[in-house]
């Protein structure tokens, strides 16, 4: 039995405000869509995750999946259609090239998907061809079609439904093909129309859909409450200046004009090495030399951005976020100040977080010690990460 997940991210999300579609707006330092991708990739039962995107969003999507380019279980994005239902059908058709037994269909705008609910859906799917998350209505319901409240709306048996919605793959693909062109509001409706029994499975209020502008503030608050395990890691690194003519000086992911580069097996980016070690330290997951041994020829002259991205992937796999990083570069020359903001932007870009969460500072050692004698450059970093508490 293989299970695939299809994330629908092809909408324009105009109600939520902002300059770009809501699924690409940032929540806790990463795009809204990335939260769903990470949650689904993090579940052991899900063999493949595919995302349906809008044709205009290829660049935003590439940014949102940074670091996952070679992930064995993330399929290439497929392009959606005019309405949500078209997008789901096109996504299912793409999955049909190598059909899974089951599929979970999830909206990109629900970033708080917890594994326990995926488990519940998959368990229910053994008994029924369809299973969807929902919450029984507990509030009293009234109708207002005259300008005045009217009672008498029976709430007994009513549910508000969410995603994921889980189905046996062949069934839902056929149902979508049969319903093409009809305006149905969710995949359960498509299944019901095809005569497939759909079971309702209790979900959680936390799995809400980000729709209105104020929902982002609610989502930020909820995220911080969930990521209550706050940890700090520190990293330190030194590289000597190289005698190699023409060797470039790379610091903080940027090539900085200077008469000498730093010696090292990789590109010797002392700042990214310190930051990578700080994140690994916060995770209690060894050090950079353990993950990327200098004895391994693969890392010869490597771009150290890959090391930082690896640490960020480990952090994401634990469901965590990088709350802040503070990096200090210690050298007499070159001057770091003029490059500070470009460096912050580059590091934030590599890590896939916003620039306000990255600090770069520089100091000299008043001509004392090896940095004072201009023999090399040192860097230290402190990383604060938040993990699910
Ligand atoms: Mg190093």
């Amino acid at each position: 039995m293989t299970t695939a997940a299809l994330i629908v991210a092809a909408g324009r999300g105009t109600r939520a405000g902002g300059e770009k579609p809501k699924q690409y707006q940032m929540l806790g330092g990463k795009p809204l869509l990335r939260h769903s991708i990470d949650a689904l990739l993090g579940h052991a039962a899900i063999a493949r995750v595919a995302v349906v995107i809008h044709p205009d969003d290829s660049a935003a999507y590439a940014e949102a999946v940074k670091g996952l380019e070679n992930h064995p279980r993330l399929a290439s994005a497929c392009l959606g259609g005019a309405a949500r239902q078209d997008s789901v059908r096109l996504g299912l058709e793409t999955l049909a090239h190598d059909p899974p037994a089951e599929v979970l269909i999830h909206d990109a705008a629900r970033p708080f998907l917890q594994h326990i609910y995926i488990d519940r859906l998959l368990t229910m799917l053994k008994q029924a061809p369809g299973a969807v998350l929902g919450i029984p209505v507990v509030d009293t319901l009234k109708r207002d079609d005259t300008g005045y409240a009217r009672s008498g709306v029976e709430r007994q048996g009513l549910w508000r439904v969410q995603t994921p919605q889980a189905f046996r793959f062949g069934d839902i693909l056929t149902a979508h093909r049969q319903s093409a062109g009809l305006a149905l509001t969710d995949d359960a409706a498509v299944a019901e129309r095809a005569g497939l029994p759909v079971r309702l499975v209790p979900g959680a209020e936390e799995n809400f859909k980000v729709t209105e502008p104020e929902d982002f503030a609610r989502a930020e608050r909820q995220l911080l409450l969930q990521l209550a395990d706050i940890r700090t890691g520190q990293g330190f690194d030194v590289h000597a200046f190289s005698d190699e003519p023409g060797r470039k000086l790379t610091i903080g992911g940027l090539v900085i004009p200077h008469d000498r580069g730093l010696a090292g097996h990789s590109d010797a980016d002392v700042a990214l090495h310190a930051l990578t070690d700080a994140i690994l330290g916060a995770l209690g997951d060894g050090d950079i030399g353990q993950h990327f041994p200098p004895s391994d020829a693969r890392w010869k002259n490597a771009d150290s951005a890959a090391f930082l991205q690896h640490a960020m992937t480990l952090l994401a796999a634990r469901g965590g976020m990088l709350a802040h990083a503070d990096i200090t570069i210690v050298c007499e020359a070159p001057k770091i100040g003029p490059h500070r903001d470009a460096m912050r932007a580059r590091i934030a870009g590599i890590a896939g977080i916003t620039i306000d969460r990255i600090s770069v500072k520089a100091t000299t050692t008043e001509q004392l010690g090896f940095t004072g004698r201009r023999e090399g450059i040192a860097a230290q970093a402190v990383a604060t990460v938040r993990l699910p508490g």
Side-chain angles (χ1 to χ4, degrees), residues 287-299:
D287 58 32
I288 192 169
Q290 194 181 331
H291 289 267
F292 300 97
S295 55
D296 189 329
R298 270 184 302 169
W299 315 122

Side-chain angles (χ1 to χ4, degrees), residues 279 283 311-322 385-387:
I279 296 166
L283 292 174
M312 293 303 296
T313 304
L314 294 174
L315 176 58
R318 300 262 292 266
M321 66 175 278
L322 178 59
V385 309
R386 301 184 71 125
L387 295 171

Side-chain angles (χ1 to χ4, degrees), residues 237-239 266 268-270 273-274 288:
D237 195 30
V238 170
H239 282 265
S266 66
D269 190 327
V270 67
H273 293 184
I288 192 169

Side-chain angles (χ1 to χ4, degrees), residues 128-145:
V132 309
L133 288 184
I135 297 176
V137 173
V138 294
D139 295 322
T140 294
L141 297 177
K142 301 227 183 272
R143 188 181 297 282
D144 176 6
D145 45 16

Side-chain angles (χ1 to χ4, degrees), residues 183-220:
L184 301 171
T185 55
D186 70 347
D187 303 296
V190 172
E192 290 163 49
R193 189 179 169 277
L196 300 170
V198 176
R199 297 291 296 263
L200 289 163
V201 173
E205 291 289 354
E206 287 74 28
N207 182 34
F208 73 95
K209 185 174 184 176
V210 174
T211 308
E212 308 289 341
E214 57 269 26
D215 291 341
F216 272 97
R218 177 185 172 191
E220 288 280 354

